[in-house]
Amino acid sequence: MAEAHSAVAFSFTVTPEGVDVKLNHEALHAVWESGVLSWKKRIGKWKNNFRNGVFPASPISWLFTVTLMLGLKLAGWDPSCGLIGLLHMHTPVINSYSFSVGQYLSTLLHGTLLWILIIIIIKYFLRLLLTYHGWMYELHGRFSIKTKLWVMMIRMFGGRKPMLNSYQASLPKLPVPALKDTLKRYLESVRPLMGDQQYARMEKLAKEFGNGLGKKLQRYLVLKSWWATNYVTDWWEEYVYLHGRSPIMINSNFYGIDAVLVKPTNQQASRAANIICIMLKCRREVDREELKPILLNKTVPLCSAQYERLFNTTRIPGIETDTIMHLKDSNHIAVYHKGRYFKMYIRHKRRILKPVEIETMIQRILDDDSPPAPGEEHLAALTAVERVPWAKARKEYFSKGKNKASLDAIEKAAFVLSLDTEEQDYCPDDPTALDRYGQAMLHGKGYDRWFDKSFTLVVCPNGRVGFNAEHSWADAPIMAHLWEYAITDEVFTLGEIYRHDGRCNGVLEGPPPNPIRLEWEFPKPCLDLIESSRFFAEKLCEDVDLHIMMFREYGKGFIKTCKVSPDAYIQLVLQLAYYRSAGKFCLTYESSMTRLFREGRTETVRSCTKDTCAFVKAMEAKADKQELIRLLKAAANTHQDLYRDAMTGKGIDRHLFCLYVTSKYVGEDSPFLAEVLSEPWRLSTSQTPHQQTDKLDLHKYPDRICAGGGFGPVADDGYGVSYIIAGEDTIFFHISCKKSCPSTDSHRFGSLIKQAFADLRGIFEKN
């Protein structure tokens, strides 16, 4: 309790001799530093908001505009056509000055108003330009004159040196698709999956919905789109993520693993310290908005809203719905090691600690052999199981005393660090090594990851790293961006941050703060709940069948020579593999982003199409190779159009989801919507983006390819497949399913994917 006592800055006692006042100068200094830091952040935030507010103009352009107005006025020419005189006569305060002074002030005011008006016009013009998406449907390198002119205007009015959120006010709103178009696309998507009788029934339901209740719901949805920044995002976050009462471990959280071909150090504390420092550097860039926004083709900006909750964020359990708690700042991280939790400060004396200082603190934790308190080791199992028991336990057992203070230390941390005791690695001679690696990151032991935290950084004893991320606060590309930032930054700073022995470079200037051991006192009912949660979490973990496959026979380099989109090609491979596995087609989910729009998140690409099925059936029938190439390219083009539609706001599933939510609000049920939203996604796929930063040069550093990450199966009898196109000749697949389902097997599905790749390559190689 020494830390608690030292935190008291002022105390006094009354004695017979008088009042004895005691001041803790160290604590007062800490309070002063905290206040200074807080005000610095506020001022920095205000400056960034101002710069973003005037973007794409710059603050200096105000001086230019005002100087120009004053110069013209002094030259005897009125640039305002009499407006300056009106401002002089009718503006309070200004009209009380002499004529000459009043003229200068009114000219200054006119120049400022003109500057603001120009900025507003440019912003709205830029937003109008960004609503054009025709460029996405044109062949790369063969843009029309219209698109070329559009690109010129975007670059002309898009501003220079944008900050992370500079484009936010200029991004267009996500449009609500026409109801008839959504229904038409939906029926087209399910036609190859339904028999004639079943399809006729669904067609009838869709027609009745479109002519009846659908029109009413559509009007409400359009009204919401006018009012809300994004008509989907708030409902998607609330009802898909936060309202879910099932466990988020495996079912919602996702994971990522290291760049498996290289390892900068074998020292656990050293690797953890440097990754932490690089992540904190990224946090600082996000806070200061120095992180560059992502521009498609170096021209079109993507929404950056999700980056705000990357750090200092926790999902808080509730009885009916969870909430997301985000803090503006946090001075510590929470550390888990051998069943104990620690609070470790990352800022000391108004600066972020250096890697060598953080390494020293982590090593102290590793060297600490004190046993965990009763229930402490398995505490995080509460975050792995159903939300209601965890919400009740949190309210009953963590609302006061030591438990509340310790839980606050975890939930208010920048993120959680888990120092594992089991090594993970990539071994070419042991295909199951990557499987174990992925399982360790996806769920671990079920109690050694704080699944509610925005992310848990995991560091293994041999220096391997990974993460487990909660899904509600943002989508995988945001976490993948941070991960790529951290992994890539090591490449350019290896000689600076690691010594020859693998330890952190640098010299300790003084002893860093000691990690603080968190204290817990659990009553018997709470201990029983923790143990039952651990048992339940372990059962969930045991049911996961996860296989990570590193496919190196060929990659996007060869696929591009076939003049086919790599993503469409891989989706066809997955469709062929699934058909050979199950003997039928299934509803397939592929995640696409909608970040071309403000606060956009994701949309679904229904990858199983009529053209896809035609190609797969022709493959199985061993059709003529020229015919197979024609069918493959037709299916790939259809897929690309669906992907573009999803990105440009013309997707199906988010629109239908919002119509369903609206129907619940108005209290009218729709048999059509109920059936649509109950259809299982037996094949759920997602591509992890690579090279989101401009730092990663795979031609120069080909061994820095990241292995990506994955997620659990969406359906009990289906597969979850995540893939990352890593370089020209490597693709990683993360395949998950449930062991309890007799019809699924991740390794068998991986073998079928390999065979499908070989068969598709054979079509082109022999022609």
Side-chain angles (χ1 to χ4, degrees):
M1 294 298 290
E3 294 82 7
H5 289 302
S6 66
V8 180
F10 170 81
S11 63
F12 69 92
T13 56
V14 179
T15 66
E17 289 76 19
V19 179
D20 182 21
V21 179
K22 293 181 180 179
L23 293 175
N24 187 321
H25 295 285
E26 185 178 347
L28 282 175
H29 183 65
V31 171
W32 169 258
E33 287 185 344
S34 179
V36 170
L37 181 64
S38 177
W39 276 105
K40 279 186 176 181
K41 282 183 170 287
R42 290 183 185 182
I43 294 171
K45 191 74 173 176
W46 182 87
K47 288 171 62 178
N48 289 340
N49 288 339
F50 176 74
R51 290 181 60 185
N52 290 333
V54 303
F55 189 85
S58 62
I60 199 69
S61 63
W62 170 82
L63 183 61
F64 172 80
T65 306
V66 169
T67 303
L68 179 63
M69 293 297 104
L70 286 171
L72 292 172
K73 187 67 176 175
L74 290 172
W77 185 68
D78 185 2
S80 68
C81 300
L83 184 59
I84 291 175
L86 291 173
L87 289 172
H88 185 193
M89 292 172 57
H90 301 290
T91 305
V93 180
I94 292 179
N95 56 18
S96 64
Y97 285 98
S98 63
F99 179 79
S100 58
V101 174
Q103 284 289 297
Y104 286 129
L105 291 176
S106 55
T107 303
L108 184 67
L109 178 60
H110 171 264
T112 302
L113 293 174
L114 179 63
W115 178 67
I116 293 172
L117 179 62
I118 293 171
I119 288 172
I120 292 173
I121 292 172
I122 293 175
K123 277 183 177 289
Y124 276 95
F125 185 64
L126 182 58
R127 182 183 295 182
L128 184 64
L129 288 173
L130 292 174
T131 60
Y132 172 71
H133 299 124
W135 62 277
M136 293 192 67
Y137 294 86
E138 297 178 358
L139 292 175
H140 185 68
R142 299 182 184 179
F143 292 136
S144 64
I145 295 176
K146 180 181 179 181
T147 297
K148 289 178 180 177
L149 290 173
W150 171 80
V151 170
M152 289 175 58
M153 287 189 288
I154 284 283
R155 291 178 177 173
M156 184 184 301
F157 294 99
R160 299 291 182 269
K161 297 181 179 179
M163 302 178 72
L164 180 63
N165 294 319
S166 291
Y167 290 109
Q168 290 301 99
S170 300
L171 291 174
K173 288 187 176 184
L174 181 68
V176 180
L179 181 61
K180 64 177 182 179
D181 292 342
T182 294
L183 296 178
K184 179 185 175 184
R185 291 191 184 104
Y186 168 76
L187 291 172
E188 288 175 351
S189 73
V190 297
R191 184 64 188 96
L193 305 174
M194 294 181 176
D196 293 340
Q197 187 175 355
Q198 187 182 7
Y199 178 76
R201 174 179 167 276
M202 184 56 71
E203 194 175 32
K204 181 182 177 183
L205 287 174
K207 186 176 180 181
E208 290 174 352
F209 174 75
N211 293 331
L213 178 60
K215 291 182 178 179
K216 177 181 178 181
L217 301 179
Q218 179 77 354
R219 286 194 293 269
Y220 280 115
L221 210 52
V222 171
L223 182 62
K224 185 195 176 187
S225 72
W226 293 346
W227 177 256
T229 307
N230 188 297
Y231 82 93
V232 175
T233 298
D234 58 337
W235 284 352
W236 186 254
E237 182 178 295
E238 179 70 20
Y239 296 111
V240 172
Y241 292 116
L242 300 180
H243 253 69
R245 303 292 81 199
S246 58
I248 61 175
M249 181 188 73
I250 301 170
N251 296 325
S252 178
N253 285 30
F254 57 94
Y255 71 91
I257 61 177
D258 208 350
V260 296
L261 298 182
V262 292
K263 186 170 57 174
T265 179
N266 291 318
Q267 303 294 334
Q268 185 177 22
S270 307
R271 187 83 194 277
N274 279 314
I275 292 291
I276 288 169
C277 285
I278 295 172
M279 286 183 164
L280 293 176
K281 175 186 171 186
C282 182
R283 184 179 74 160
R284 183 180 61 195
E285 291 188 12
V286 171
D287 289 343
R288 296 179 179 179
E289 299 191 30
E290 295 170 353
L291 189 70
K292 293 180 181 179
I294 295 178
L295 303 178
L296 295 183
N297 295 335
K298 299 182 179 180
T299 304
V300 185
L302 297 183
C303 178
S304 301
Q306 296 179 54
Y307 287 91
E308 182 182 9
R309 299 188 293 189
L310 187 53
F311 297 93
N312 325 322
T313 301
T314 305
R315 176 171 174 164
I316 305 299
I319 302 298
E320 295 182 356
T321 183
D322 293 354
T323 55
I324 296 178
M325 180 184 73
H326 171 70
L327 304 177
K328 295 298 181 183
D329 194 18
S330 178
N331 292 326
H332 72 278
I333 63 173
V335 183
Y336 177 87
H337 178 246
K338 289 186 176 180
R340 294 93 36 88
Y341 284 93
F342 298 83
K343 178 180 180 180
M344 191 176 80
Y345 284 100
I346 52 178
R347 185 182 282 122
H348 185 57
K349 295 183 179 179
R350 296 171 65 177
R351 67 173 178 83
I352 296 293
L353 293 172
K354 298 177 182 178
V356 67
E357 295 171 314
I358 295 178
E359 177 191 44
T360 301
M361 293 191 293
I362 292 175
Q363 193 61 53
R364 289 173 185 169
I365 293 174
L366 294 173
D367 295 339
D368 187 333
D369 58 358
S370 61
E376 182 180 14
E377 181 179 7
H378 304 144
L379 174 62
L382 293 172
T383 69
V385 298
E386 294 182 347
R387 307 304 291 172
V388 174
W390 171 213
K392 291 179 178 178
R394 188 177 183 277
K395 184 177 180 180
E396 185 172 356
Y397 305 118
F398 297 86
S399 59
K400 58 184 178 180
K402 294 179 180 179
N403 292 350
K404 183 181 187 305
S406 296
L407 183 63
D408 280 348
I410 296 173
E411 293 182 338
K412 295 180 179 179
F415 55 88
V416 171
L417 168 66
S418 181
L419 299 169
D420 273 14
T421 56
E422 295 179 4
E423 294 187 353
Q424 307 296 338
D425 214 336
Y426 163 68
C427 179
D429 299 326
D430 182 6
T432 63
L434 275 182
D435 300 350
R436 294 191 296 272
Y437 197 162
Q439 288 168 355
M441 300 305 128
L442 176 61
H443 52 68
K445 298 176 181 177
Y447 55 80
D448 51 357
R449 316 279 181 257
W450 199 269
F451 295 101
D452 285 354
K453 205 64 189 164
S454 58
F455 69 92
T456 298
L457 171 65
V458 182
V459 184
C460 303
N462 60 341
R464 281 295 181 198
V465 294
F467 70 84
N468 179 284
E470 201 273 318
H471 209 328
S472 65
W473 62 274
D475 299 310
I478 308 302
M479 192 63 211
H481 192 171
L482 169 66
W483 197 239
E484 185 178 311
Y485 184 106
I487 299 300
T488 304
D489 206 68
E490 279 189 309
V491 177
F492 302 100
T493 55
L494 277 177
E496 300 172 13
I497 61 178
Y498 292 113
R499 300 188 318 220
H500 66 278
D501 60 354
R503 293 289 183 181
C504 289
N505 240 329
V507 179
L508 287 174
E509 298 176 1
N514 280 320
I516 301 170
R517 175 74 185 274
L518 300 186
E519 299 180 354
W520 312 90
E521 287 183 352
F522 300 124
K524 182 65 166 56
C526 185
L527 291 173
D528 293 341
L529 179 62
I530 291 173
E531 283 307 300
S532 63
S533 298
R534 178 190 66 82
F535 178 78
F536 184 79
E538 288 178 349
K539 289 295 181 184
L540 290 177
C541 298
E542 290 169 2
D543 195 28
V544 175
D545 183 12
L546 178 65
H547 175 46
I548 300 179
M549 182 177 73
M550 186 178 184
F551 182 77
R552 306 201 75 177
E553 278 73 7
Y554 66 96
K556 70 176 181 180
F558 170 78
I559 297 172
K560 286 179 179 178
T561 65
C562 304
K563 298 182 179 180
V564 178
S565 158
D567 181 67
Y569 189 98
I570 294 171
Q571 286 292 327
L572 287 171
V573 164
L574 294 176
Q575 289 297 320
L576 180 58
Y578 186 85
Y579 186 80
R580 288 173 173 175
S581 172
K584 60 181 180 180
F585 298 102
C586 72
L587 195 62
T588 305
Y589 182 110
E590 182 186 3
S591 180
S592 167
M593 68 172 183
T594 55
R595 288 170 60 200
L596 290 171
F597 304 95
R598 192 167 182 179
E599 294 185 11
R601 289 198 59 162
T602 60
E603 178 56 275
T604 303
V605 180
R606 294 180 169 232
S607 301
C608 184
T609 65
K610 179 179 64 177
D611 292 328
T612 299
C613 296
F615 167 73
V616 170
K617 289 179 179 178
M619 279 289 295
E620 293 302 271
K622 303 187 185 305
D624 177 76
K625 288 181 171 52
Q626 291 297 332
E627 176 65 8
L628 288 174
I629 291 175
R630 185 188 69 80
L631 291 172
L632 184 149
K633 290 190 174 182
N637 290 336
T638 299
H639 178 271
Q640 281 299 95
D641 285 340
L642 289 175
Y643 204 97
R644 293 168 181 138
D645 287 345
M647 287 185 65
T648 55
K650 293 178 283 188
I652 300 171
D653 290 274
R654 300 301 177 267
H655 186 201
L656 292 173
F657 163 76
C658 288
L659 289 170
Y660 178 78
V661 175
T662 306
S663 72
K664 294 301 179 184
Y665 274 114
V666 301
E668 296 188 47
D669 292 330
S670 166
F672 170 73
L673 291 176
E675 190 158 336
V676 168
L677 270 73
S678 65
E679 294 170 342
W681 301 97
R682 290 192 172 87
L683 184 56
S684 181
T685 70
S686 177
Q687 179 183 175
T688 303
H690 209 208
Q691 290 183 278
Q692 293 191 87
T693 67
D694 56 6
K695 297 180 180 180
L696 185 57
D697 186 349
L698 292 180
H699 294 287
K700 191 174 181 180
Y701 301 101
D703 58 348
R704 300 305 300 186
I705 54 174
C706 184
F711 51 89
V714 174
D716 290 341
D717 57 349
Y719 291 100
V721 182
S722 176
Y723 53 93
I724 183 169
I725 302 172
E728 294 294 308
D729 302 304
T730 306
I731 305 172
F732 285 94
F733 287 89
H734 300 248
I735 307 163
S736 65
C737 61
K738 293 192 174 182
K739 294 178 181 178
S740 56
C741 177
S743 61
T744 58
D745 185 304
S746 64
H747 288 79
R748 180 168 60 88
F749 195 66
S751 298
L752 291 171
I753 289 174
K754 279 187 178 180
Q755 185 59 51
F757 265 111
D759 292 346
L760 264 65
R761 182 175 188 170
I763 297 172
F764 289 96
E765 281 190 332
K766 294 180 181 178
N767 284 271

